[in-house]
């Protein structure tokens, strides 16, 4: 018998021993439960960690009858920690900033306008430090918990404001949007958000990250609340002549999204089928259009061999956005950064350091790109057009990922957010249910100054969208049934090959599709259709077809090469490298694969 057991046996009648054992066991149980909660699902906080300060600014009194009831009566809101509120320090998401600045002498005009219209302000919200970051993680004040999917990030930099709305703590919330700081968290949290046209909402007492990109925006769970807040902040007329609406789908941008088209494009198209005032929707390769309309962007266009110009243009546009942000941040805040040397979270310090080190003398070129981009959208959309794009390309990353977000994730998300940021056009985020339990959304975007037109559209279309979301398919259609008619399928394949050689890409896709319907187990049919899809710029379809071809034939070198090309165009560089490496294993002397792998490794490094 062990010594501990002998000790317990000899002291079994001692009550103090049993009290000691009970306390010890209870302590172990409590410790284990605490560890389980921390390491398992995120521990839910009462306010989801959304607030930096809780307070109440009461609304202005209602005017006596017969005056109309104030538009925002009964609504509550919160503000991002960049808005001045009298007697509070505007903290910019960082304790060192708060420590080195005085309390605000006045409340920002936008906040006051909301109070004047009947809403009550209940606090300031957490944000990414200094307005950098897109995940919403703040190492200083804690990271707000995404109410929809607690183990995933909420998105940033206006993370606390988005969480306060998604968690039903307030009816709406203010944030600012620079490179997607409102749109990204709205998409990740499954709520509405509006980024107005640049400059239409004043930012007199709002801390700025980059003045040429910054806008005041807002979140809401309900489109009518989004609309009412817009009427107040944008000072809109109640009545405006109704005009036709023309939706334009950017097909190449939906290729970046990992959400099935049945849950985005199909839902929107079906929603407007029976609505009056909508023209037949159009589809376009938006990237190719921008290539021809923004000549000053050419010097930022890093065009690798064999890649598609359409996607490269968005990467160039996002490069301009990031460069403009860094340059203007440096102009405004370099002196404070160097004198205070603030303590910053690792996810933000890299961006701040890059901004301070930025050296770019030709600012006029950046502003020229901005002007040309705005004009390109004006010419495309005229006075009735609305561009439809995905808000984000990927589902939100998990919380506290050790490696951080990948360069591919940033490239893909900035490719989408750069359109409104650089052009200064207005954009609204509309939630469309979930995919694999993660919220999904689309963005509607129109020309600068058409904010009311866009807000009215959301109000007009949303009930029809909801109806379509409820009946949208949960999964993609299965493979077509196999047919034994091999001769007919081979004939269709040959017709597809002939159309391909004749540069009739759509015709080739149709022939290959018919061949697949007759024989869905032939890897060549999928691989050939992928080649046609690549020529059309349909990269997601090309990737899907190559994956099917590889499942059927694991030694299909062309399928690996074409999937690698598709993934490179979708900015999935690491996955593309794997495909080109696999092709080299099968064909060690393959020059295309060898050059592609080297190019991508250099690009990532």
């Amino acid at each position: 018998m062990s010594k501990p057991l002998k000790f317990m046996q000899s002291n079994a009648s001692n009550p103090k021993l049993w009290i000691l054992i009970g306390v010890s066991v209870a302590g172990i149980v409590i410790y284990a439960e605490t560890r389980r909660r921390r390491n398992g699902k995120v521990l839910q906080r009462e306010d989801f960690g959304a607030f930096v300060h809780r307070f109440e600014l009461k609304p202005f009194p209602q005017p006596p009858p017969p005056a109309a009831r104030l538009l925002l009566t009964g609504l509550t809101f919160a503000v991002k920690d960049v808005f001045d509120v009298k007697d509070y320090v505007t903290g910019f998401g960082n304790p060192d900033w708060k420590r080195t600045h005085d309390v605000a002498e006045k409340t920002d005009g936008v906040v006051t306008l909301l109070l004047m219209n009947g809403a009550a302000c209940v606090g300031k919200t957490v944000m990414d430090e200094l307005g950098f970051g897109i995940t919403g993680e703040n190492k200083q004040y804690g990271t707000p918990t995404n109410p929809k999917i607690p183990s995933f990030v909420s998105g940033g930099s206006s993370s606390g404001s988005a969480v306060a709305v998604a968690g039903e703590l307030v009816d709406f919330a203010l944030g600012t949007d620079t490179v997607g700081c409102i749109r990204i968290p709205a998409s990740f949290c499954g709520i509405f958000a509006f980024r107005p046209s640049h400059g239409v909402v004043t930012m007199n007492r709002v801390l700025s990250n980059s003045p040429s990109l910054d806008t005041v925006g807002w979140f809401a769970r309900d489109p009518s609340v989004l609309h009412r807040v817009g009427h107040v902040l944008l000072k809109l007329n109640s009545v405006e002549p109704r005009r036709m609406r023309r939706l334009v789908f950017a097909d190449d941008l939906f290729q970046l999204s990992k959400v099935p088209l049945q849950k985005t494009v199909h839902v929107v198209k079906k929603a407007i089928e029976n609505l009056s005032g909508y023209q037949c929707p159009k589809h376009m390769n938006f990237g190719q259009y921008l290539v021809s309309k923004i000549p000053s962007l050419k010097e930022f266009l890093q065009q690798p061999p064999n890649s598609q110009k359409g996607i490269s243009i968005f990467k160039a546009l996002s490069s301009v956005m990031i460069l403009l942000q860094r340059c203007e941040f440096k102009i405004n805040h370099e002196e404070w950064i160097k004198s205070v040397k603030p303590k910053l979270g690792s996810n933000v310090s890299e961006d701040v350091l890059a901004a301070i080190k930025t050296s770019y003398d030709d600012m006029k070129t950046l502003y020229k790109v901005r002007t040309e981009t705005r004009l390109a959208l004006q010419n495309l959309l005229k006075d009735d057009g609305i561009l439809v794009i995905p808000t984000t390309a990927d589902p939100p990353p998990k919380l506290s990922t050790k490696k951080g977000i990948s360069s591919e994730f940033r490239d893909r998300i900035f490719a989408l957010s750069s359109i409104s940021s650089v052009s200064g056009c207005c954009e609204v985020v509309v939630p469309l249910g979930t995919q694999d339990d993660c919220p999904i959304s689309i963005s509607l975007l129109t020309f600068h100054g058409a904010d009311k037109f866009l807000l009215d559209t959301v109000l007009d279309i949303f009930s029809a969208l909801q109806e379509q979301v409820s009946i949208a398919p949960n999964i993609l259609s299965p493979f077509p049934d196999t047919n034994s008619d091999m001769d007919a399928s081979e004939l269709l394949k040959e017709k597809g090959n002939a159309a391909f050689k004749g540069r009739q890409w759509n015709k080739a896709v149709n022939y290959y599709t018919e061949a697949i319907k007759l024989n869905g187990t032939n890897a060549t049919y999928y691989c050939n259709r992928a080649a046609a899809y690549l020529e059309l710029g349909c990269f997601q379809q090309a990737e899907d077809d190559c994956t099917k071809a590889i499942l059927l034939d694991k030694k299909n070198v062309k399928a690996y090469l074409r999937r690698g090309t598709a993934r490179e165009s979708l900015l999935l560089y690491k996955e593309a490298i794997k495909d080109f490496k696999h092709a080299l294993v099968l064909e060690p002397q393959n020059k295309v694969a060898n050059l592609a792998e080297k190019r991508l490794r250099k690009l990532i490094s």
Side-chain angles (χ1 to χ4, degrees), residues 15 29 126 251 255 260 270 272 343 359 365 368 372 403 410 432 448 520 592:
V29 170
V126 176
D251 288 343
Q255 300 302 314
K270 293 295 289 184
I272 65 171
K343 181 182 178 182
S359 177
T365 301
K368 189 176 181 182
E372 289 177 357
K403 294 181 180 179
R410 289 173 66 94
L432 288 183
H448 187 276
V592 173

Side-chain angles (χ1 to χ4, degrees), residues 250 252-253 256 285-288 290 297 301 309-319 411 414-416 418-419:
D252 49 336
L253 289 177
L256 291 175
N285 187 308
F286 185 56
Q288 289 182 0
L290 292 185
L297 198 56
L301 195 63
K309 288 183 181 179
I311 295 298
S312 298
I313 194 77
F314 297 113
K315 192 170 181 186
L317 195 66
S318 62
S319 297
D411 284 349
F414 286 150
L416 295 167
S418 63
I419 301 166

Side-chain angles (χ1 to χ4, degrees), residues 437-482:
D437 297 325
C438 289
I440 58 175
S441 65
I442 51 137
S443 277
L444 306 179
L445 192 156
T446 195
F447 54 93
H448 187 276
D451 301 72
K452 185 178 189 303
F453 176 55
L454 195 57
L455 282 167
D456 288 348
T457 300
V458 175
L459 208 56
D460 186 63
I461 197 177
F462 187 63
S463 60
L465 286 173
Q466 278 186 309
E467 184 179 343
Q468 291 303 319
V469 166
S470 67
I471 61 176
N474 292 318
I475 56 172
L476 287 169
S477 301
F479 287 145
D481 293 333
T482 302

Side-chain angles (χ1 to χ4, degrees), residues 39 53 58 63 164 171 205 259 261 268 306 328 360 402-403 455 488 505 564 586:
N39 296 331
H53 296 294
K58 293 184 177 180
D171 297 298
R205 303 188 73 87
V259 178
L261 296 181
V268 179
N306 302 319
E328 292 190 338
Y360 188 77
K402 290 182 179 179
K403 294 181 180 179
L455 282 167
W505 319 123
L586 295 170

Side-chain angles (χ1 to χ4, degrees), residues 2-64:
S2 64
K3 289 184 179 180
L5 286 175
K6 286 181 180 179
F7 175 79
M8 289 179 67
Q9 191 176 42
S10 62
N11 292 274
S13 60
N14 189 342
K16 292 183 179 180
L17 173 64
W18 292 108
I19 291 172
L20 179 63
I21 292 172
V23 170
S24 301
V25 170
I28 292 169
V29 170
I30 291 169
Y31 175 76
E33 178 64 12
T34 302
R35 294 280 297 178
R36 184 189 70 79
R37 290 188 181 187
R38 286 178 178 171
N39 296 331
K41 289 187 176 181
V42 176
L43 189 63
Q44 293 287 359
R45 290 166 284 182
E46 185 179 350
D47 64 357
F48 299 99
F51 287 92
V52 177
H53 296 294
R54 296 297 295 260
F55 52 76
E56 184 177 10
L57 301 180
K58 293 184 177 180
F60 282 39
Q62 292 283 332

Side-chain angles (χ1 to χ4, degrees), residues 93-126:
N94 178 264
D96 286 324
W97 181 281
K98 184 178 179 180
R99 175 177 56 81
T100 55
H101 289 78
D102 297 327
V103 298
E105 296 179 356
K106 293 183 179 180
T107 297
D108 172 65
V110 171
V111 178
T112 302
L113 189 58
L114 295 170
L115 297 172
M116 289 173 63
N117 280 270
C121 181
V122 298
K124 284 194 170 192
T125 56
V126 176

Side-chain angles (χ1 to χ4, degrees), residues 355-389:
I356 299 305
K357 287 183 175 180
T358 296
S359 177
Y360 188 77
D361 299 325
D362 191 11
M363 293 289 286
K364 288 183 179 178
T365 301
L366 300 179
Y367 296 135
K368 189 176 181 182
V369 171
R370 184 182 61 173
T371 301
E372 289 177 357
T373 307
R374 184 178 298 184
L375 185 61
L377 283 161
Q378 178 71 57
N379 290 336
L380 171 68
L381 302 174
K382 303 191 184 323
D383 64 350
D384 63 350
I386 296 171
L387 187 68
V388 186
I389 65 172

